[in-house]
Amino acid sequence: MDNLWPFKFPKPVKITGRSSTITNAFVTSIIPLAEPTEDEVEHALEKLGMTRATCVCAYCGGKFSEWDHLRPLVKDKRPTGFISEIRNLVPACGKCNQSKGNKDWRVWIESSAKGSPRSREVEDLNQRIQRLEDYERWGSPERVVFEDIVGAEDWRRYWAECESLHSRMRDVQCLSDIIRDRVVRSRRGS
Ligand SMILES: [Zn+2]
């Protein structure tokens, strides 16, 4: 009955609720994108036992909708060093991509996390895991050590800028709360 109820009330929005978007932008904006050729994409699919025509989610076999970074680009609010390149990408479905997030794929796939292939009782899971492990071995994705390339000083400065933006957001959130509160009270009084 409840999930048939058509009315959904919008959730309250907070400026600080956008914090992870800011952190993600700081990380992903410095990660190089190595765009693959069509041949490279086909070769990668072949390694996963797929073709262009039979491309499905590598984690669960569901309908393909996007490419997912097998090894996450972000961990603990910092870049892991892995980049956007075909050897670190696998076809995925929206359900898996959302559920996996920045988790290690091997841990996530067999975890009871909501939406994980194990929790959805996906068929032939061991075979899928095996294939992904083979893919990982074949690809051995590049890993960049940002701090060594950029230099300690600029690296430190960059993350200090990130923290400073977060701190500004928290300040502005206080003002936002005050303004909202005033508006709410003015309505009740009216
Ligand atoms: Zn999937």
Side-chain angles (χ1 to χ4, degrees):
M1 183 68 186
D2 268 349
N3 44 15
L4 292 176
W5 181 239
F7 181 71
K8 240 188 187 163
F9 197 64
K11 288 194 177 111
V13 170
K14 278 190 176 277
I15 291 167
T16 46
R18 300 286 187 258
S19 295
S20 60
T21 310
I22 297 290
T23 306
N24 257 317
F26 266 76
V27 174
T28 48
S29 65
I30 55 169
I31 293 173
L33 306 167
E35 196 172 340
T37 63
E38 278 193 30
D39 281 353
E40 284 170 332
V41 174
E42 277 180 347
H43 191 51
L45 284 174
E46 195 187 304
K47 290 283 166 194
L48 289 164
M50 301 176 204
T51 66
R52 229 188 255 231
T54 63
C55 183
V56 288
C57 173
Y59 304 120
C60 76
K63 195 167 182 279
F64 158 72
S65 64
E66 56 221 71
W67 286 80
D68 177 53
H69 291 99
L70 187 60
R71 303 189 193 198
L73 306 187
V74 187
K75 200 180 176 198
D76 301 329
K77 302 179 181 178
R78 290 291 183 273
T80 56
F82 295 109
I83 68 167
S84 277
E85 55 165 342
I86 190 65
R87 292 176 297 168
N88 191 32
L89 288 165
V90 295
C93 68
K95 208 177 260 184
C96 283
N97 204 355
Q98 269 210 339
S99 164
K100 177 168 163 279
N102 287 336
K103 299 182 196 82
D104 176 279
W105 76 265
R106 191 72 179 73
V107 174
W108 160 78
I109 204 165
E110 293 202 279
S111 74
S112 55
K114 189 168 176 265
S116 79
R118 171 66 76 210
S119 72
R120 281 153 54 210
E121 296 177 11
V122 162
E123 272 176 48
D124 309 323
L125 190 56
N126 289 339
Q127 203 183 320
R128 288 177 201 288
I129 291 170
Q130 183 64 54
R131 198 168 279 166
L132 282 163
E133 282 175 346
D134 290 347
Y135 187 76
E136 228 182 3
R137 255 193 304 276
W138 161 75
S140 59
E142 181 184 344
R143 194 163 193 179
V144 171
V145 184
F146 286 93
E147 194 171 353
D148 288 357
I149 301 165
V150 178
E153 177 56 26
D154 281 345
W155 193 241
R156 192 202 53 76
R157 223 177 77 202
Y158 189 62
W159 296 107
E161 292 286 1
C162 181
E163 183 39 49
S164 149
L165 255 185
H166 283 297
S167 158
R168 290 288 296 130
M169 283 169 83
R170 286 190 292 272
D171 291 347
V172 177
Q173 181 62 57
C174 292
L175 183 57
S176 165
D177 288 340
I178 291 166
I179 290 173
R180 188 199 183 98
D181 196 48
R182 266 188 220 161
V183 176
V184 169
R185 274 188 287 126
S186 82
R187 287 190 63 246
R188 278 184 190 149
S190 64

